[in-house]
Amino acid sequence: MADPLRFLIIGSGNIAGTYVEALKKVPGARLVGVVSRSGRRPSRLAADADVEVATSLGAVRTPFDAVVVATPNGMHREGILEAASMGRHVLTEKPLEISREAADTCIEACRRAGVTLGVCFQRRMSPDNAAVKDLLAAGALGRVYAADLAVKFFREQSYYDSAPYRGGWAIDGGGPFMQQASHQVDLYGWFFGRPRSIKSFTATLAHRMEAEDHGAAILQHENGMIGTIVASTVARPGFPARLEIHAEQGSVIMENDLVTRWAVEGVSNPSRAAAPAVHSGAGAGGAAVSDTAGHEAILSDFVRAVREKRPPAVSGEAALLATELILEIYRAAKG
């Protein structure tokens, strides 16, 4: 049996705690260290855990094979490039980065170093999402006419006040489109591909913040399909993300990665509703992830990808479309 892949987490915020918990449950993986500029231990790392805490990647003494980059969005590049320069494999939190230039730099650095680069868009691992993706790819729903995605979450002002970068352009990369809704935008691109054109509007309505807290986009695809995406943190008290697909053979409605309505002629409902729903992130306290099943699935696949020398379930190249779509939504909103 191969030795466990030794992981180091870069970052010590809420999401780092999620990875601490997830790594405990992944066969073939072991957490050996955390990089925290403040020297703070992640919330779920026990005080007596045999895990090194260092203030920089270069200061880590414990041998490691891979890193999980769990820093804020616009700081992913720094951790990815440093790890790649050391020949270590990289799994980064979503999104890959907040600019096309930064994302391309990360992909190229990992390619040159010969290391695996994966992105934690864990909602692709949901059984219902995977089943719907397969049916769409096989053309089982016929021509898709419309897809309407609503990510109507809520955040109190205290969320944006909790760190100076929250809801800003330089580090968060924007408001709910880039931060809260990037998982669902990734699913939209995975399901339906790149649109031909985008029109959008954004506004800052209910919070003191630099970027948007609500916006809507209309996307037209080459086959004529018209999609809509709404991303928000003003929708009190917060609602599960919802996707409606209307196609030649019928309609599908999904909420929080589960099929809730299936009306497709000649095709059985593929839902595995007994599977646990992935953390929704909808409500005011949604930033902390309590259910780690999706992260465990991504980590398990990443370990196998490294061992098998194959791309992971969500490679850097695969994750790039979500960043591109969000940036295009922002460009369209600016006119």
Side-chain angles (χ1 to χ4, degrees), residues 145-223:
Y145 301 136
D148 300 303
L149 172 63
V151 187
K152 295 183 177 182
F153 290 177
F154 178 69
R155 295 291 184 270
E156 298 280 5
Q157 180 62 43
S158 58
Y159 167 80
Y160 291 107
D161 292 342
S162 65
Y165 66 84
R166 290 202 187 278
W169 296 107
I171 296 180
D172 255 2
F177 275 110
M178 186 64 81
Q179 181 64 11
Q180 286 77 24
S182 60
H183 280 295
Q184 287 77 22
V185 174
D186 173 68
L187 287 176
Y188 183 100
W190 190 46
F191 282 174
F192 309 114
R194 188 185 302 274
R196 181 175 64 190
S197 63
I198 297 176
K199 305 291 184 184
S200 62
F201 294 91
T202 60
T204 308
L205 301 171
H207 298 97
R208 295 183 303 278
M209 57 188 289
E210 184 180 26
E212 89 287 354
D213 59 9
H214 185 84
I218 301 175
L219 306 89
Q220 186 172 43
H221 292 252
E222 290 292 345
N223 67 350

Side-chain angles (χ1 to χ4, degrees), residues 6-299:
R6 297 165 298 182
F7 279 88
L8 190 78
I9 298 174
I10 302 176
S12 57
N14 281 333
I15 197 64
T18 298
Y19 285 105
V20 168
E21 197 65 31
L23 281 164
K24 295 176 185 176
K25 305 172 185 177
V26 176
R30 182 162 64 94
L31 176 63
V32 298
V34 173
V35 172
S36 168
R37 290 179 178 178
S38 66
R40 182 165 64 96
R41 299 170 75 86
S43 59
R44 302 187 195 182
L45 182 60
D48 60 348
D50 186 20
V51 173
E52 180 184 359
V53 178
T55 55
S56 70
L57 195 56
V60 174
R61 301 183 306 276
T62 306
F64 64 98
D65 307 299
V67 303
V68 173
V69 179
T71 52
N73 298 344
M75 299 172 69
H76 291 174
R77 172 168 53 179
E78 178 182 342
I80 292 170
L81 296 187
E82 189 173 5
S85 73
M86 299 170 71
R88 303 305 197 268
H89 304 287
V90 181
L91 177 66
T92 185
E93 248 303 288
K94 59 78 185 170
L96 172 56
E97 250 290 351
I98 61 174
S99 74
R100 175 63 193 266
E101 177 188 12
D104 284 344
T105 299
C106 293
I107 292 169
E108 179 60 18
C110 291
R111 186 194 65 77
R112 287 198 313 268
V115 300
T116 301
L117 173 61
V119 181
C120 195
F121 277 126
Q122 75 271 12
R123 292 180 182 275
R124 294 197 191 192
M125 310 303 281
S126 155
D128 282 18
N129 283 334
V132 171
K133 164 64 177 177
D134 288 344
L135 290 170
L136 287 166
L141 276 63
R143 181 183 175 189
V144 179
Y145 301 136
D148 300 303
L149 172 63
V151 187
K152 295 183 177 182
F153 290 177
F154 178 69
R155 295 291 184 270
E156 298 280 5
Q157 180 62 43
S158 58
Y159 167 80
Y160 291 107
D161 292 342
S162 65
Y165 66 84
R166 290 202 187 278
W169 296 107
I171 296 180
D172 255 2
F177 275 110
M178 186 64 81
Q179 181 64 11
Q180 286 77 24
S182 60
H183 280 295
Q184 287 77 22
V185 174
D186 173 68
L187 287 176
Y188 183 100
W190 190 46
F191 282 174
F192 309 114
R194 188 185 302 274
R196 181 175 64 190
S197 63
I198 297 176
K199 305 291 184 184
S200 62
F201 294 91
T202 60
T204 308
L205 301 171
H207 298 97
R208 295 183 303 278
M209 57 188 289
E210 184 180 26
E212 89 287 354
D213 59 9
H214 185 84
I218 301 175
L219 306 89
Q220 186 172 43
H221 292 252
E222 290 292 345
N223 67 350
M225 183 191 109
I226 295 176
T228 63
I229 301 177
V230 173
S232 182
T233 53
V234 306
R236 188 186 296 268
F239 302 89
R242 179 182 176 95
L243 174 64
E244 298 184 4
I245 304 171
H246 304 289
E248 187 176 6
Q249 296 299 114
S251 297
V252 180
I253 297 176
M254 306 185 73
E255 288 191 2
N256 197 31
D257 306 308
L258 295 176
V259 172
T260 57
R261 179 71 188 276
W262 184 267
V264 181
E265 186 176 343
V267 182
S268 298
N269 185 346
S271 178
R272 292 175 55 188
V278 177
H279 170 78
S280 75
V289 179
S290 55
D291 174 24
T292 63
H295 293 80
E296 293 165 40
I298 282 284
L299 283 161

